[in-house]
Amino acid sequence: MATNPSTSTSSAPTREQPNAFYITWHVHVVNGLSSNKILLVHCKSHDNNDLGEHNLTVGSETQWKFKEAIFGSTLFWCFTASRSDHVHAKFNVFWEDQDLFYRCNWKHCIWTAKDDGIYLKNIPENYDEFRHKWESGRGLLANSTIA
């Protein structure tokens, strides 16, 4: 029996979901590096919420949850570094964007640091999407401003 697409009850995520304002979002930053390398992670919000510095062992993560600001101005970014490799990356981990929301399956944005760069888990399509390359050098000190 054929299913009429207009009456399908599929729970697959779409690029546009209603009521995104009411969603509790979760951001995860995961150490997916090799050889027992420590990942330094320091994240902040646009509203100057400092989420602190974390030294993550391989396979561990830091994560937090929040609801979007009423005017869609929610923004979080992170500074990450692998001191043993002398590389770093600075990047946004959450911002108002329908494509990001889709990739995060409207709930969990999962960022993973790997040896060749930073990846975002595309949950609906089940793959890690390369998003940022590592930059050479030590970059900012962990206590520096990361804007």
Side-chain angles (χ1 to χ4, degrees), residues 95-114:
W95 62 98
E96 178 74 26
D97 182 79
Q98 295 294 312
D99 287 334
L100 176 72
F101 296 171
Y102 169 79
R103 286 171 174 79
C104 296
N105 202 24
W106 293 89
K107 188 165 186 164
H108 290 276
C109 296
I110 304 169
W111 296 89
T112 303
K114 298 184 182 186

Side-chain angles (χ1 to χ4, degrees), residues 111 116-120 127-134:
W111 296 89
D116 62 339
I118 308 297
Y119 290 76
L120 173 62
Y127 74 97
D128 290 337
E129 184 176 293
F130 182 83
R131 298 298 294 240
H132 302 281
K133 65 180 183 173
W134 289 111

Side-chain angles (χ1 to χ4, degrees), residues 24-81:
T24 297
W25 290 95
H26 302 259
V27 173
H28 307 256
V29 181
V30 181
N31 181 349
L33 298 171
S34 64
S35 304
N36 296 319
K37 296 174 186 171
I38 301 296
L39 179 70
L40 169 71
V41 178
H42 189 183
C43 301
K44 292 184 178 182
S45 77
H46 175 66
D47 297 327
N48 291 320
N49 293 319
D50 189 333
L51 302 175
E53 296 176 24
H54 303 275
N55 288 297
L56 304 178
T57 57
V58 173
S60 65
E61 70 174 39
T62 185
Q63 58 112 358
W64 63 95
K65 64 183 179 177
F66 58 93
K67 291 191 182 276
E68 279 189 85
I70 195 163
F71 297 110
S73 61
T74 305
L75 172 66
F76 286 94
W77 65 89
C78 294
F79 169 80
T80 58

